[in-house]
Amino acid sequence: MIASVGIPALGQDRPESLLPPGFDDPVPAPAPTPRATTAPRPSQPGTPAAPAPVSGAPVAGATPLPGGTPTPVPSAIDRDGDGQTDYAVIARYELPDFAKRSLAQVGPSSPASDGLAADAFGTADGKFLQILMRRTNAPVASRWLSIALRRALLSRVNTPAGVHGADFAAERAWLLIRMGEADAARAMVQSVDIENYSPKLFQVGMQAMLAAADPGGMCAMVHPALRASPDRNWRLAEAICAGLAGDPAKAGPLIDAARRRMGDEIDLLLAEKVVGMGVAGRRAVTIEWDAVDRLSAWRWGLAMASATEIPAALYDSAGPQVRYWRATSPAGGLRERAELAEAAAGQGVFSSQALTDLYGEIEEQEDAATAEVAVARDLRTAFIAATPAERVTQMRGLWDEAQGARAKYSRLILTARAAARLEPSEALREDSDRLIASMLSAGLDRAAMRWRSLAPRGSDGWGMLLLADPSRAQVAASEVEAYKGDAANRAMLVAAMAGMGRLPGGEGERLMRGAGVEFEAANAWTRAIALAAEQRQPGTVVLLAAVGMQTRVWEGVSPATLYHITRALTRVGLDGYARMIAVEAITRL
């Protein structure tokens, strides 16, 4: 079993909170009122009781507070005949026992829907995994590692020993949020039945809904969350949900009570604006950003949901993940999303197909004079021009107009499917490097392999095809030595080929020593990822790979790190990701 080994301080111990001020402040507990209670429901077999919340993720207090809607006559859902609704009883009516989900296995994606196997984390200690997730400083350098990490986090896996199932879901959702994966985080939160939520999952659940610009997603959580943590944010959420439900008689007093406590704070005004969007809403609110110096998830989510424009300067006060939230949010305008969507594609949050579809919508709906429509038209020409030369000319224009390494890589992703439609020909040999890089940026390895005979020996395209070969065949050391890239790329190619076991005998070690790859240096991280691979724990391997790649630029990834990551991924059956990560290194350096 992987124990809690020490991991180098590569990331943050406590990610900077994106929550509004006061979100994590403890709430004084009122004196409890004696009352009859129902017997506690037995915990799920094999699932330990929820531990005290730990630092590093949003955590709320645990003050029980009865909440609900007055009912004129005691009924089956009126717990004590005092007019207070028992939402636990309602849950039993809404969700029969046979439909309830166990905390012993949590996650929205099964192996049939691209999830990893249920035992993907094996016997790894739950607290160890939580620490890894909490300390991972996302986003990471690699697009393809981000894609693998999203898959691992969303998988329906067995809850590890030593951690409560709801808390384990919360940690996974919290990391997805920081990666920019708002929709995935929301799916993760919603894969747990609300009656099983822990205080930590309530807090992360609120942030997931805000990151997805979906305040309505908080409504199912409001009343049980108020019992667990009656802080101001859930009170505001209660008002928002009443407004969205078309109940201004309830929403109005809640907003007015909040104003007496908070004044005209921006967080309250945004909540009030969302309340006014509901049926029979009567509140007109003007939002002024002049005094606001920080963009939180609360502010972003409610502003997007209420179609309130956020000053561009405020995005600089938040991490890049907020831009990825905006790229995937349907609440944003198409043109405004275009540049952000390209950046999100470079991080793995947007797929090549989704990016192509977005530009298709822009071409259909936007003013023909805009720069975004010009890009969309060039992309269309790259797909349908009469000759291959004309198509590549349009692709070349899209590649060359991009400014900066990140933007150039995003444009390769944008044109990947157009490149895959081309038939290899001698006339296109000059552009083969970038055409191959474009196809492989979207994982189109079989289409790219058709260009093997055209890629000049020793070129970047030739090296990428060596790495991407889906046959996984071993190659002679002389083939690797023929690669003519610069020293950094040569070291990366050698390290990845050795890591994936593609070189015979001791040739991999010989070539790595010659390239200066310090593959023999050992530390807590190298030992942990090797042990996870040995014990066939793909989920743990992916998580540790992300820990080892906590940098936003590929220049911060050493060849030795790439060697250990590709080696571990290959050993646990994730060699497809190993191949694409290796190609990405050559493409982006």
Side-chain angles (χ1 to χ4, degrees):
M1 180 177 74
I2 295 179
S4 297
V5 299
I7 298 298
L10 299 173
Q12 59 206 33
D13 181 58
R14 179 182 177 88
E16 180 182 357
S17 177
L18 295 169
L19 299 167
F23 195 97
D24 288 328
D25 293 348
V27 181
T33 302
R35 58 192 304 139
T37 58
T38 58
R41 187 173 60 88
S43 60
Q44 295 291 345
T47 304
V54 293
S55 63
V59 180
T63 305
L65 185 73
T69 306
T71 54
V73 180
S75 67
I77 61 172
D78 182 352
R79 178 165 51 195
D80 299 317
D82 62 357
Q84 295 296 316
T85 301
D86 185 346
Y87 288 91
V89 176
I90 289 179
R92 290 201 295 270
Y93 279 95
E94 293 178 341
L95 194 65
D97 288 342
F98 71 84
K100 292 180 181 178
R101 293 169 291 188
S102 170
L103 286 177
Q105 200 175 88
V106 177
S109 298
S110 68
S113 57
D114 199 40
L116 298 181
D119 62 351
F121 291 97
T123 58
D125 180 72
K127 292 179 181 178
F128 169 68
L129 296 172
Q130 285 198 132
I131 290 171
L132 292 182
M133 287 187 276
R134 198 174 313 132
R135 291 186 178 179
T136 298
N137 190 2
V140 298
S142 168
R143 173 181 200 262
W144 281 99
L145 182 53
S146 294
I147 292 170
L149 183 57
R150 178 182 64 218
R151 179 185 177 191
L153 294 174
L154 285 175
S155 297
R156 188 179 304 150
V157 294
N158 300 330
T159 298
V163 62
H164 188 269
D167 284 346
F168 190 57
E171 290 289 359
R172 291 151 67 187
W174 180 229
L175 178 50
L176 287 163
I177 289 168
R178 302 194 320 269
M179 291 167 59
E181 299 278 3
D183 293 337
R186 175 172 56 184
M188 185 70 244
V189 168
Q190 292 177 336
S191 70
V192 178
D193 293 342
I194 289 178
E195 66 181 82
N196 291 330
Y197 276 32
S198 63
K200 185 191 297 185
L201 188 53
F202 277 122
Q203 297 290 54
V204 174
M206 172 182 278
Q207 186 149 339
M209 300 309 160
L210 293 169
D214 179 19
M218 298 187 292
C219 296
M221 307 179 208
V222 164
H223 291 290
L226 282 170
R227 291 202 297 270
S229 175
D231 63 23
R232 74 175 197 179
N233 301 286
W234 283 113
R235 290 295 183 195
L236 289 176
E238 184 181 23
I240 288 170
C241 293
L244 294 178
D247 189 357
K250 181 178 180 181
L254 288 170
I255 287 291
D256 293 339
R259 176 170 282 107
R260 290 192 290 271
R261 297 190 305 270
M262 301 171 59
D264 287 331
E265 289 186 22
I266 187 74
D267 298 329
L268 171 65
L269 293 175
L270 286 167
E272 187 173 13
K273 186 166 185 180
V274 176
V275 166
M277 295 171 59
V279 177
R282 295 291 186 270
R283 291 175 177 259
V285 181
T286 300
I287 304 297
E288 299 289 347
W289 295 98
D290 295 344
V292 179
D293 61 0
R294 187 174 67 89
L295 187 62
S296 66
W298 181 272
R299 294 165 186 172
W300 185 88
L302 297 190
M304 291 298 290
S306 61
T308 301
E309 185 174 356
I310 300 172
L314 275 180
Y315 281 96
D316 296 333
S317 69
Q321 62 267 35
V322 178
R323 291 178 170 84
Y324 305 152
W325 300 349
R326 188 181 181 193
T328 56
S329 172
L334 293 175
R335 285 179 53 205
E336 291 74 17
R337 291 171 59 198
E339 182 179 356
L340 299 171
E342 289 194 30
Q347 194 57 49
V349 177
F350 237 71
S351 69
S352 173
Q353 184 64 64
L355 193 58
T356 302
D357 291 346
L358 176 63
Y359 273 108
E361 290 185 66
I362 289 172
E363 184 182 16
E364 290 180 0
Q365 299 182 26
E366 298 294 328
D367 183 349
T370 64
E372 293 79 14
V373 170
V375 170
R377 288 179 173 174
D378 287 347
L379 180 61
R380 177 179 290 277
T381 302
F383 273 96
I384 65 171
T387 67
E390 289 176 298
R391 297 181 191 181
V392 173
T393 297
Q394 292 300 323
M395 290 186 220
R396 197 185 302 125
L398 290 168
W399 298 331
D400 292 343
E401 73 179 9
Q403 300 297 313
R406 287 179 176 273
K408 289 181 181 297
Y409 185 63
S410 297
R411 284 297 172 87
L412 292 175
I413 298 168
L414 176 64
T415 58
R417 295 177 184 279
R421 290 164 63 97
L422 292 169
E423 289 297 327
S425 69
E426 187 64 33
L428 303 180
R429 180 186 292 271
E430 183 180 348
D431 292 290
S432 61
D433 279 1
R434 287 200 288 186
L435 288 169
I436 290 167
S438 181
M439 287 180 269
L440 292 177
S441 71
L444 303 174
D445 54 355
R446 297 192 182 279
M449 292 305 296
R450 295 184 295 120
W451 291 74
R452 174 172 273 175
S453 61
L454 279 179
R457 181 177 172 82
S459 66
D460 280 341
W462 184 84
M464 292 176 199
L465 293 178
L466 273 182
L467 293 165
D469 188 352
S471 74
R472 310 173 186 86
Q474 287 198 336
V475 300
S478 59
E479 293 291 283
V480 175
E481 290 174 309
Y483 177 58
K484 300 173 183 177
D486 61 26
N489 277 4
R490 288 200 303 273
M492 286 293 198
L493 183 139
V494 166
M497 290 294 285
M500 294 186 293
R502 301 278 304 284
L503 291 164
E507 295 285 30
E509 293 185 3
R510 179 181 69 80
L511 291 179
M512 284 195 289
R513 288 192 180 95
V517 180
E518 299 178 352
F519 67 97
E520 293 176 304
N523 55 39
W525 176 77
T526 62
R527 289 189 290 270
I529 197 168
L531 182 57
E534 180 183 339
Q535 296 183 345
R536 298 296 187 266
Q537 298 176 10
T540 312
V541 164
V542 171
L543 191 51
L544 283 162
V547 169
M549 207 179 276
Q550 291 180 93
T551 172
R552 293 180 186 171
V553 293
W554 265 96
E555 288 77 5
V557 180
S558 71
T561 298
L562 183 64
Y563 165 75
H564 289 291
I565 288 174
T566 53
R567 184 170 184 265
L569 288 171
T570 301
R571 292 188 68 186
V572 296
L574 298 177
D575 55 285
Y577 292 106
R579 291 186 290 114
M580 292 303 106
I581 291 169
V583 169
E584 186 181 349
I586 302 300
T587 307
R588 302 186 74 170
L589 278 176

